[in-house]
Amino acid sequence: MLSITDLRDFIDLDHETVAAVNRATGLSHAEAVSLARQFLASQHGILTLHHMFRDQIDEAARRFELAREQELRRAYSGFARKYPLPGLA
């Protein structure tokens, strides 16, 4: 069962970010959630998440997966608004 603290911590962690970590690493959902939380705790981790999203967008474009590319761009746009590139905000 999730505690109130777990729910508060999960608020900033959206499904798309967890999915990006999962796809990039091949970790289980629970492990991807844990790693994504760790990434969000530091500037270097946030930069890593930006790279994960952008690498996946590039890969979808390279494979001509237009729907997937658009989905990733939408998810990345939301992520980048919440977590601007470190040093640029």
Side-chain angles (χ1 to χ4, degrees):
M1 176 168 268
L2 292 174
S3 70
I4 293 296
T5 303
D6 291 332
L7 291 174
R8 278 193 216 128
D9 288 346
F10 196 75
I11 289 171
D12 283 342
L13 187 59
D14 57 64
H15 170 74
E16 290 88 357
T17 302
V18 172
V21 172
N22 179 266
R23 283 188 301 271
T25 62
L27 295 172
S28 71
H29 179 76
E31 292 169 323
V33 167
S34 178
L35 185 56
R37 283 184 181 153
Q38 290 174 21
F39 283 151
L40 290 176
S42 72
Q43 294 294 309
H44 180 72
I46 291 171
L47 181 60
T48 299
L49 287 168
H50 276 271
H51 285 289
M52 284 182 177
F53 271 110
R54 291 162 59 178
D55 288 349
Q56 291 174 35
I57 291 167
D58 290 346
E59 180 66 16
R62 189 183 66 72
R63 292 177 177 226
F64 301 103
E65 297 171 344
L66 182 59
R68 181 78 187 122
E69 180 186 356
Q70 290 173 336
E71 176 186 328
L72 285 164
R73 286 185 185 280
R74 181 194 54 74
Y76 179 59
S77 176
F79 175 82
R81 274 193 307 276
K82 273 173 79 173
Y83 303 100
L85 278 168
L88 298 179

Coordinates of all heavy atoms in Angstrom, one line a residue:
M1 N 0.8 -1.2 0.0 CA 0.0 0.0 0.0 C 0.9 1.2 0.0 O 1.9 1.3 0.7 CB -0.9 0.0 1.2 CG -1.7 1.2 1.4 SD -3.0 1.1 2.6 CE -4.3 0.5 1.5
L2 N 0.5 2.2 -0.8 CA 1.2 3.5 -0.9 C 0.9 4.4 0.3 O -0.2 4.5 0.8 CB 0.9 4.2 -2.1 CG 1.3 3.6 -3.4 CD1 0.8 4.4 -4.6 CD2 2.8 3.5 -3.5
S3 N 1.9 5.0 0.8 CA 1.7 6.0 1.9 C 1.5 7.4 1.3 O 1.7 7.6 0.1 CB 3.0 6.0 2.8 OG 4.1 6.6 2.1
I4 N 1.1 8.3 2.1 CA 0.9 9.7 1.7 C 2.2 10.2 1.1 O 2.2 10.9 0.1 CB 0.4 10.6 2.9 CG1 -1.0 10.1 3.3 CG2 0.4 12.0 2.5 CD1 -2.0 10.3 2.2
T5 N 3.3 9.9 1.8 CA 4.6 10.4 1.3 C 4.9 9.8 -0.1 O 5.4 10.5 -1.0 CB 5.8 10.0 2.3 OG1 5.5 10.5 3.5 CG2 7.1 10.5 1.8
D6 N 4.6 8.5 -0.3 CA 4.8 7.9 -1.6 C 4.0 8.7 -2.7 O 4.4 8.9 -3.8 CB 4.4 6.5 -1.6 CG 5.4 5.6 -0.8 OD1 6.5 6.0 -0.7 OD2 4.9 4.6 -0.3
L7 N 2.7 9.0 -2.4 CA 1.9 9.7 -3.3 C 2.4 11.1 -3.6 O 2.4 11.5 -4.8 CB 0.4 9.8 -2.8 CG -0.3 8.4 -2.7 CD1 -1.7 8.6 -2.0 CD2 -0.5 7.8 -4.0
R8 N 2.9 11.8 -2.6 CA 3.4 13.1 -2.9 C 4.6 13.0 -3.8 O 4.8 13.8 -4.6 CB 3.8 13.8 -1.5 CG 2.6 14.4 -0.9 CD 3.0 15.4 0.2 NE 2.0 15.2 1.3 CZ 2.3 15.0 2.5 NH1 3.5 14.8 3.0 NH2 1.3 14.9 3.4
D9 N 5.5 12.0 -3.5 CA 6.7 11.9 -4.3 C 6.4 11.5 -5.7 O 7.1 11.9 -6.7 CB 7.6 10.8 -3.7 CG 8.3 11.2 -2.4 OD1 8.3 12.4 -2.1 OD2 8.8 10.3 -1.8
F10 N 5.3 10.8 -5.9 CA 4.9 10.3 -7.3 C 4.3 11.4 -8.1 O 4.3 11.4 -9.3 CB 3.9 9.1 -7.2 CG 3.8 8.4 -8.4 CD1 4.8 7.5 -8.9 CD2 2.7 8.5 -9.2 CE1 4.7 6.8 -10.0 CE2 2.6 7.8 -10.4 CZ 3.6 6.9 -10.8
I11 N 3.8 12.5 -7.5 CA 3.1 13.6 -8.2 C 4.0 14.2 -9.3 O 3.5 14.4 -10.4 CB 2.6 14.7 -7.2 CG1 1.4 14.1 -6.4 CG2 2.2 15.9 -8.0 CD1 1.0 15.0 -5.2
D12 N 5.2 14.4 -9.0 CA 6.1 15.0 -10.0 C 6.7 14.0 -11.0 O 7.3 14.4 -11.9 CB 7.3 15.7 -9.3 CG 6.9 17.0 -8.7 OD1 5.8 17.6 -9.1 OD2 7.6 17.5 -7.8
L13 N 6.4 12.8 -10.8 CA 6.9 11.7 -11.7 C 5.8 11.2 -12.5 O 5.0 10.5 -12.1 CB 7.5 10.6 -10.8 CG 8.2 9.5 -11.5 CD1 9.4 10.1 -12.3 CD2 8.7 8.5 -10.6
D14 N 5.8 11.7 -13.8 CA 4.7 11.3 -14.7 C 5.0 10.0 -15.4 O 6.1 9.5 -15.4 CB 4.4 12.4 -15.7 CG 5.7 12.8 -16.5 OD1 6.2 11.9 -17.3 OD2 6.2 13.9 -16.4
H15 N 4.0 9.4 -15.9 CA 4.0 8.1 -16.6 C 5.0 8.1 -17.8 O 5.8 7.2 -18.0 CB 2.6 7.7 -17.1 CG 2.6 6.5 -18.0 ND1 2.9 5.2 -17.5 CD2 2.5 6.4 -19.3 CE1 2.8 4.4 -18.5 NE2 2.6 5.1 -19.6
E16 N 5.0 9.2 -18.5 CA 5.9 9.3 -19.7 C 7.4 9.3 -19.3 O 8.2 8.7 -20.0 CB 5.6 10.6 -20.5 CG 4.3 10.5 -21.3 CD 3.1 11.1 -20.4 OE1 3.3 11.4 -19.2 OE2 2.0 11.1 -20.9
T17 N 7.7 9.9 -18.2 CA 9.1 9.9 -17.8 C 9.5 8.5 -17.3 O 10.6 8.0 -17.7 CB 9.3 10.9 -16.6 OG1 8.9 12.2 -17.1 CG2 10.8 11.0 -16.2
V18 N 8.7 7.8 -16.6 CA 8.9 6.5 -16.2 C 9.1 5.6 -17.4 O 10.0 4.8 -17.5 CB 7.9 5.9 -15.3 CG1 8.1 4.4 -15.0 CG2 7.8 6.7 -14.0
A19 N 8.2 5.8 -18.4 CA 8.3 5.0 -19.7 C 9.6 5.2 -20.4 O 10.2 4.3 -21.0 CB 7.1 5.3 -20.5
A20 N 10.0 6.5 -20.4 CA 11.3 6.8 -21.1 C 12.4 6.1 -20.4 O 13.3 5.6 -21.1 CB 11.5 8.3 -21.1
V21 N 12.5 6.1 -19.1 CA 13.5 5.4 -18.4 C 13.4 3.9 -18.6 O 14.4 3.3 -18.9 CB 13.4 5.7 -16.9 CG1 14.4 4.9 -16.1 CG2 13.7 7.2 -16.6
N22 N 12.2 3.4 -18.6 CA 12.0 2.0 -18.9 C 12.5 1.5 -20.2 O 13.3 0.6 -20.4 CB 10.6 1.6 -18.7 CG 10.3 0.2 -18.9 OD1 9.9 -0.2 -20.1 ND2 10.4 -0.7 -17.9
R23 N 12.2 2.3 -21.3 CA 12.6 2.0 -22.6 C 14.1 2.1 -22.8 O 14.8 1.3 -23.4 CB 11.9 2.9 -23.6 CG 10.5 2.5 -23.9 CD 9.9 3.3 -25.1 NE 9.9 4.8 -24.8 CZ 9.0 5.4 -24.2 NH1 7.9 4.8 -23.8 NH2 9.1 6.7 -24.0
A24 N 14.7 3.1 -22.1 CA 16.2 3.4 -22.3 C 17.0 2.3 -21.5 O 18.1 2.0 -21.9 CB 16.5 4.8 -21.7
T25 N 16.4 1.8 -20.4 CA 17.2 0.9 -19.6 C 16.8 -0.6 -19.6 O 17.6 -1.4 -19.3 CB 17.2 1.4 -18.1 OG1 15.8 1.3 -17.7 CG2 17.7 2.8 -18.0
G26 N 15.5 -0.8 -20.0 CA 15.0 -2.2 -19.9 C 14.7 -2.6 -18.5 O 14.4 -3.8 -18.3
L27 N 14.7 -1.7 -17.6 CA 14.3 -2.1 -16.2 C 12.9 -2.4 -16.0 O 12.0 -1.9 -16.8 CB 14.7 -0.9 -15.2 CG 16.2 -0.6 -15.1 CD1 16.4 0.7 -14.3 CD2 17.0 -1.8 -14.5
S28 N 12.5 -3.1 -15.0 CA 11.1 -3.3 -14.6 C 10.5 -1.9 -14.3 O 11.2 -0.9 -14.1 CB 11.0 -4.2 -13.4 OG 11.4 -3.5 -12.2
H29 N 9.1 -1.9 -14.3 CA 8.4 -0.7 -14.0 C 8.9 -0.1 -12.6 O 9.2 1.1 -12.5 CB 6.9 -0.9 -14.0 CG 6.1 0.4 -13.7 ND1 6.0 1.4 -14.6 CD2 5.5 0.7 -12.5 CE1 5.3 2.3 -14.0 NE2 5.0 2.0 -12.8
A30 N 8.9 -0.9 -11.6 CA 9.3 -0.5 -10.2 C 10.7 0.1 -10.2 O 11.0 1.1 -9.6 CB 9.1 -1.6 -9.2
E31 N 11.6 -0.6 -10.9 CA 13.0 -0.2 -11.0 C 13.1 1.1 -11.7 O 13.9 2.0 -11.4 CB 13.9 -1.2 -11.6 CG 14.0 -2.5 -10.7 CD 14.7 -3.6 -11.4 OE1 14.5 -3.8 -12.6 OE2 15.5 -4.3 -10.8
A32 N 12.3 1.3 -12.8 CA 12.3 2.5 -13.6 C 11.8 3.7 -12.8 O 12.3 4.8 -12.9 CB 11.5 2.3 -14.9
V33 N 10.8 3.4 -12.0 CA 10.2 4.5 -11.1 C 11.3 4.9 -10.1 O 11.5 6.1 -9.9 CB 9.0 4.0 -10.3 CG1 8.6 4.9 -9.2 CG2 7.8 3.8 -11.3
S34 N 12.0 4.0 -9.5 CA 13.0 4.3 -8.5 C 14.2 5.1 -9.2 O 14.6 6.1 -8.7 CB 13.6 3.0 -7.9 OG 14.6 3.3 -7.0
L35 N 14.6 4.7 -10.4 CA 15.7 5.3 -11.1 C 15.3 6.7 -11.5 O 16.0 7.7 -11.4 CB 16.2 4.5 -12.3 CG 17.4 5.1 -13.0 CD1 18.6 5.3 -12.1 CD2 17.7 4.1 -14.2
A36 N 14.0 6.9 -12.0 CA 13.6 8.2 -12.4 C 13.5 9.2 -11.3 O 13.9 10.3 -11.4 CB 12.2 8.1 -13.1
R37 N 13.1 8.7 -10.1 CA 13.1 9.5 -8.9 C 14.5 10.0 -8.6 O 14.7 11.1 -8.2 CB 12.5 8.8 -7.7 CG 11.0 8.7 -7.7 CD 10.5 8.0 -6.5 NE 9.0 7.9 -6.5 CZ 8.4 6.9 -5.9 NH1 9.0 6.0 -5.2 NH2 7.1 6.9 -6.0
Q38 N 15.4 9.0 -8.7 CA 16.8 9.4 -8.4 C 17.3 10.4 -9.4 O 18.0 11.4 -9.0 CB 17.7 8.2 -8.4 CG 17.5 7.2 -7.3 CD 18.3 5.9 -7.5 OE1 19.3 5.9 -8.2 NE2 17.9 4.8 -6.8
F39 N 17.0 10.3 -10.6 CA 17.4 11.2 -11.7 C 16.8 12.6 -11.4 O 17.5 13.6 -11.5 CB 17.0 10.8 -13.0 CG 17.8 9.7 -13.7 CD1 17.3 8.8 -14.6 CD2 19.1 9.6 -13.4 CE1 18.0 7.9 -15.2 CE2 19.9 8.6 -13.9 CZ 19.4 7.7 -14.9
L40 N 15.6 12.7 -10.9 CA 15.0 14.0 -10.7 C 15.5 14.7 -9.5 O 15.3 15.9 -9.3 CB 13.4 13.8 -10.5 CG 12.7 13.5 -11.8 CD1 11.2 13.2 -11.4 CD2 12.8 14.5 -12.8
A41 N 16.3 14.0 -8.7 CA 16.9 14.6 -7.5 C 18.2 15.4 -7.7 O 18.7 16.0 -6.8 CB 17.2 13.5 -6.5
S42 N 18.7 15.4 -9.0 CA 19.9 16.1 -9.2 C 19.9 16.7 -10.6 O 19.2 16.3 -11.5 CB 21.1 15.1 -9.1 OG 21.2 14.3 -10.3
Q43 N 20.7 17.7 -10.8 CA 20.8 18.4 -12.1 C 21.4 17.5 -13.2 O 20.9 17.4 -14.3 CB 21.7 19.6 -12.0 CG 21.1 20.7 -11.1 CD 19.9 21.3 -11.7 OE1 19.9 21.7 -12.8 NE2 18.8 21.4 -10.9
H44 N 22.4 16.7 -12.8 CA 22.9 15.7 -13.7 C 21.9 14.7 -14.1 O 21.8 14.3 -15.3 CB 24.2 15.0 -13.1 CG 24.8 14.0 -14.0 ND1 25.5 14.4 -15.1 CD2 24.8 12.6 -14.0 CE1 25.9 13.3 -15.7 NE2 25.5 12.2 -15.1
G45 N 21.1 14.2 -13.2 CA 20.0 13.3 -13.5 C 19.0 13.8 -14.4 O 18.5 13.2 -15.3
I46 N 18.6 15.1 -14.2 CA 17.6 15.8 -15.1 C 18.2 15.9 -16.5 O 17.5 15.6 -17.5 CB 17.2 17.1 -14.5 CG1 16.4 16.9 -13.2 CG2 16.5 18.0 -15.5 CD1 16.1 18.2 -12.5
L47 N 19.5 16.2 -16.6 CA 20.1 16.2 -17.9 C 20.1 14.8 -18.6 O 19.8 14.7 -19.8 CB 21.6 16.7 -17.7 CG 22.4 16.8 -19.0 CD1 21.7 17.8 -20.0 CD2 23.8 17.3 -18.7
T48 N 20.3 13.8 -17.8 CA 20.3 12.4 -18.3 C 18.9 12.1 -18.8 O 18.7 11.5 -19.9 CB 20.7 11.4 -17.2 OG1 22.0 11.7 -16.8 CG2 20.6 10.0 -17.7
L49 N 17.8 12.5 -18.1 CA 16.5 12.3 -18.6 C 16.2 13.1 -19.9 O 15.5 12.5 -20.8 CB 15.5 12.7 -17.5 CG 15.4 11.8 -16.3 CD1 14.6 12.4 -15.2 CD2 14.8 10.4 -16.7
H50 N 16.7 14.3 -20.0 CA 16.6 15.0 -21.3 C 17.2 14.2 -22.4 O 16.6 14.1 -23.5 CB 17.2 16.4 -21.2 CG 16.4 17.4 -20.5 ND1 15.5 18.2 -21.3 CD2 16.2 17.8 -19.3 CE1 14.9 19.1 -20.5 NE2 15.3 18.9 -19.2
H51 N 18.4 13.7 -22.2 CA 19.1 12.9 -23.2 C 18.3 11.6 -23.6 O 18.2 11.3 -24.7 CB 20.5 12.6 -22.8 CG 21.4 13.7 -22.9 ND1 21.8 14.2 -24.1 CD2 22.0 14.5 -21.9 CE1 22.7 15.2 -23.9 NE2 22.8 15.4 -22.6
M52 N 17.7 11.0 -22.6 CA 16.9 9.8 -22.8 C 15.7 10.1 -23.7 O 15.5 9.4 -24.7 CB 16.4 9.2 -21.5 CG 17.4 8.4 -20.7 SD 16.6 7.7 -19.2 CE 18.0 6.9 -18.6
F53 N 15.0 11.2 -23.4 CA 13.9 11.5 -24.3 C 14.3 11.9 -25.7 O 13.8 11.4 -26.7 CB 13.2 12.8 -23.7 CG 12.0 12.5 -22.7 CD1 12.2 12.7 -21.4 CD2 10.8 11.9 -23.2 CE1 11.2 12.5 -20.5 CE2 9.8 11.7 -22.3 CZ 10.0 11.9 -20.9
R54 N 15.4 12.7 -25.8 CA 15.8 13.1 -27.1 C 16.4 12.0 -27.9 O 16.2 11.9 -29.2 CB 16.8 14.3 -27.0 CG 16.1 15.5 -26.4 CD 17.0 16.6 -25.8 NE 18.0 17.1 -26.8 CZ 18.9 18.0 -26.4 NH1 18.9 18.6 -25.2 NH2 19.8 18.4 -27.3
D55 N 17.1 11.1 -27.3 CA 17.6 9.9 -28.0 C 16.4 9.0 -28.6 O 16.5 8.5 -29.7 CB 18.5 9.0 -27.1 CG 19.8 9.6 -26.8 OD1 20.2 10.6 -27.5 OD2 20.5 9.1 -25.9
Q56 N 15.4 8.9 -27.8 CA 14.2 8.1 -28.2 C 13.5 8.8 -29.3 O 13.0 8.2 -30.2 CB 13.3 7.8 -27.0 CG 14.0 6.8 -26.1 CD 13.2 6.5 -24.8 OE1 12.0 6.5 -24.8 NE2 14.0 6.3 -23.7
I57 N 13.4 10.1 -29.3 CA 12.8 10.9 -30.3 C 13.6 10.7 -31.6 O 13.0 10.5 -32.7 CB 12.6 12.4 -30.0 CG1 11.6 12.6 -28.9 CG2 12.3 13.2 -31.2 CD1 11.7 14.0 -28.2
D58 N 14.9 10.8 -31.5 CA 15.7 10.7 -32.7 C 15.6 9.3 -33.3 O 15.5 9.1 -34.5 CB 17.2 10.9 -32.4 CG 17.5 12.4 -32.1 OD1 16.6 13.3 -32.4 OD2 18.6 12.7 -31.5
E59 N 15.5 8.3 -32.4 CA 15.4 6.9 -32.9 C 14.0 6.7 -33.6 O 14.0 6.0 -34.7 CB 15.5 5.9 -31.7 CG 15.4 4.5 -32.1 CD 16.5 3.9 -33.0 OE1 17.6 4.6 -33.1 OE2 16.3 2.8 -33.6
A60 N 13.0 7.2 -33.1 CA 11.7 7.1 -33.7 C 11.7 7.8 -35.1 O 11.1 7.3 -36.0 CB 10.6 7.7 -32.8
A61 N 12.3 8.9 -35.2 CA 12.4 9.7 -36.4 C 13.2 8.9 -37.4 O 12.9 8.8 -38.6 CB 13.0 11.0 -36.2
R62 N 14.3 8.3 -37.0 CA 15.2 7.5 -37.9 C 14.5 6.3 -38.4 O 14.7 5.9 -39.6 CB 16.4 7.0 -37.1 CG 17.5 6.4 -38.0 CD 18.7 5.9 -37.1 NE 18.3 4.8 -36.2 CZ 18.1 3.5 -36.6 NH1 18.1 3.2 -37.9 NH2 17.8 2.6 -35.7
R63 N 13.6 5.7 -37.6 CA 12.8 4.6 -38.1 C 11.5 5.0 -38.8 O 10.7 4.1 -39.1 CB 12.5 3.7 -36.9 CG 13.7 3.0 -36.3 CD 13.3 2.2 -35.0 NE 14.4 1.6 -34.5 CZ 14.4 0.3 -34.1 NH1 13.3 -0.4 -34.2 NH2 15.5 -0.3 -33.7
F64 N 11.3 6.3 -39.0 CA 10.0 6.8 -39.6 C 8.8 6.3 -38.9 O 7.7 6.1 -39.5 CB 10.0 6.3 -41.1 CG 11.1 6.8 -41.9 CD1 12.1 5.9 -42.2 CD2 11.3 8.1 -42.3 CE1 13.3 6.3 -43.0 CE2 12.4 8.5 -43.0 CZ 13.4 7.6 -43.3
E65 N 8.9 6.3 -37.5 CA 7.7 6.0 -36.7 C 7.1 7.3 -36.3 O 7.3 7.8 -35.2 CB 8.2 5.2 -35.5 CG 8.7 3.8 -35.9 CD 9.4 3.1 -34.7 OE1 9.7 3.7 -33.6 OE2 9.6 1.9 -34.8
L66 N 6.3 7.9 -37.2 CA 5.8 9.3 -37.0 C 4.9 9.4 -35.7 O 5.1 10.3 -34.9 CB 5.0 9.7 -38.2 CG 4.4 11.1 -38.2 CD1 5.5 12.1 -38.0 CD2 3.6 11.4 -39.4
A67 N 4.0 8.4 -35.5 CA 3.1 8.5 -34.4 C 3.9 8.4 -33.1 O 3.7 9.2 -32.1 CB 2.1 7.4 -34.4
R68 N 4.9 7.5 -33.0 CA 5.7 7.4 -31.9 C 6.6 8.6 -31.6 O 6.7 9.1 -30.5 CB 6.6 6.2 -32.0 CG 7.5 5.9 -30.9 CD 6.7 5.2 -29.8 NE 7.6 5.1 -28.6 CZ 7.2 5.6 -27.4 NH1 6.1 6.2 -27.3 NH2 8.0 5.5 -26.4
E69 N 7.1 9.2 -32.7 CA 7.9 10.4 -32.6 C 7.0 11.5 -32.0 O 7.5 12.3 -31.1 CB 8.5 10.8 -33.9 CG 9.3 12.1 -33.9 CD 9.7 12.5 -35.3 OE1 9.5 11.9 -36.3 OE2 10.4 13.6 -35.3
Q70 N 5.8 11.7 -32.5 CA 4.9 12.8 -32.0 C 4.6 12.5 -30.6 O 4.6 13.5 -29.8 CB 3.7 12.8 -32.9 CG 3.9 13.3 -34.3 CD 2.7 13.2 -35.2 OE1 1.8 12.4 -35.0 NE2 2.7 14.1 -36.2
E71 N 4.3 11.3 -30.2 CA 4.0 11.0 -28.8 C 5.2 11.4 -27.9 O 5.0 12.0 -26.8 CB 3.7 9.5 -28.7 CG 3.4 9.0 -27.3 CD 3.3 7.5 -27.2 OE1 2.7 6.9 -28.2 OE2 3.7 6.9 -26.2
L72 N 6.4 11.0 -28.3 CA 7.6 11.3 -27.5 C 7.8 12.8 -27.5 O 8.2 13.3 -26.4 CB 8.8 10.6 -28.1 CG 8.9 9.1 -27.8 CD1 9.9 8.4 -28.7 CD2 9.2 8.8 -26.4
R73 N 7.6 13.5 -28.6 CA 7.8 15.0 -28.6 C 6.8 15.6 -27.6 O 7.2 16.6 -26.9 CB 7.6 15.5 -30.0 CG 8.8 15.2 -30.9 CD 8.7 16.0 -32.2 NE 9.8 15.6 -33.1 CZ 11.0 16.1 -33.0 NH1 11.3 17.0 -32.1 NH2 11.9 15.7 -33.9
R74 N 5.6 15.2 -27.6 CA 4.6 15.7 -26.7 C 5.0 15.5 -25.2 O 5.0 16.4 -24.4 CB 3.2 15.1 -26.9 CG 2.1 15.7 -26.0 CD 0.9 14.8 -26.1 NE 1.1 13.4 -25.8 CZ 1.3 12.9 -24.6 NH1 1.4 13.7 -23.5 NH2 1.5 11.6 -24.4
A75 N 5.4 14.2 -24.9 CA 5.9 13.9 -23.6 C 7.1 14.7 -23.2 O 7.2 15.2 -22.1 CB 6.2 12.4 -23.5
Y76 N 8.1 14.8 -24.1 CA 9.3 15.6 -23.8 C 9.0 17.1 -23.6 O 9.6 17.7 -22.7 CB 10.3 15.4 -24.9 CG 11.6 16.2 -24.7 CD1 12.3 15.9 -23.6 CD2 12.0 17.1 -25.6 CE1 13.5 16.7 -23.3 CE2 13.2 17.9 -25.4 CZ 13.9 17.6 -24.2 OH 15.1 18.3 -24.0
S77 N 8.1 17.6 -24.4 CA 7.7 19.0 -24.2 C 7.2 19.3 -22.8 O 7.6 20.2 -22.1 CB 6.6 19.4 -25.2 OG 6.2 20.7 -25.0
G78 N 6.3 18.4 -22.3 CA 5.8 18.5 -20.9 C 6.9 18.4 -19.9 O 7.0 19.1 -18.9
F79 N 7.8 17.4 -20.1 CA 8.9 17.2 -19.2 C 9.8 18.4 -19.2 O 10.3 18.9 -18.1 CB 9.7 15.9 -19.6 CG 10.9 15.7 -18.8 CD1 10.9 15.1 -17.5 CD2 12.2 16.2 -19.2 CE1 12.0 15.0 -16.7 CE2 13.3 16.0 -18.5 CZ 13.2 15.4 -17.2
A80 N 10.2 18.9 -20.4 CA 11.1 20.1 -20.4 C 10.5 21.3 -19.8 O 11.3 22.2 -19.3 CB 11.5 20.3 -21.9
R81 N 9.2 21.5 -19.8 CA 8.6 22.6 -19.1 C 8.7 22.5 -17.6 O 9.0 23.5 -16.9 CB 7.1 22.7 -19.5 CG 6.8 23.5 -20.8 CD 5.3 23.9 -20.9 NE 4.4 22.8 -20.8 CZ 4.1 21.9 -21.8 NH1 4.7 22.1 -23.0 NH2 3.3 20.9 -21.6
K82 N 8.5 21.3 -17.1 CA 8.6 21.0 -15.7 C 10.1 21.1 -15.2 O 10.4 21.5 -14.1 CB 8.1 19.6 -15.3 CG 6.6 19.7 -15.1 CD 6.0 18.3 -14.9 CE 6.3 17.7 -13.6 NZ 5.6 16.4 -13.4
Y83 N 11.0 20.5 -16.1 CA 12.4 20.4 -15.7 C 13.3 20.9 -16.8 O 13.8 20.2 -17.7 CB 12.7 18.9 -15.4 CG 11.9 18.3 -14.4 CD1 10.8 17.5 -14.7 CD2 12.2 18.6 -13.0 CE1 10.0 17.0 -13.7 CE2 11.4 18.0 -12.0 CZ 10.3 17.2 -12.4 OH 9.5 16.7 -11.4
P84 N 13.4 22.3 -16.9 CA 14.2 22.8 -18.0 C 15.7 22.3 -17.9 O 16.1 21.8 -16.9 CB 14.2 24.3 -17.7 CG 13.1 24.6 -16.7 CD 12.9 23.3 -16.0
L85 N 16.3 22.3 -19.1 CA 17.7 21.9 -19.1 C 18.5 22.6 -18.1 O 18.5 23.9 -18.0 CB 18.3 22.2 -20.5 CG 18.0 21.1 -21.5 CD1 18.4 21.6 -22.9 CD2 18.8 19.8 -21.2
P86 N 19.3 21.9 -17.2 CA 20.1 22.6 -16.2 C 21.0 23.6 -16.8 O 21.6 23.4 -17.9 CB 20.9 21.4 -15.6 CG 20.0 20.2 -15.9 CD 19.4 20.5 -17.2
G87 N 21.1 24.8 -16.2 CA 22.0 25.8 -16.7 C 21.3 26.8 -17.7 O 21.9 27.8 -18.0
L88 N 20.2 26.4 -18.2 CA 19.5 27.2 -19.2 C 18.3 27.9 -18.6 O 17.7 28.8 -19.3 CB 19.1 26.4 -20.4 CG 20.2 25.7 -21.2 CD1 19.6 24.9 -22.3 CD2 21.2 26.8 -21.7
A89 N 17.9 27.6 -17.4 CA 16.7 28.2 -16.8 C 17.0 29.5 -16.2 O 18.0 29.8 -15.8 CB 16.0 27.2 -15.8

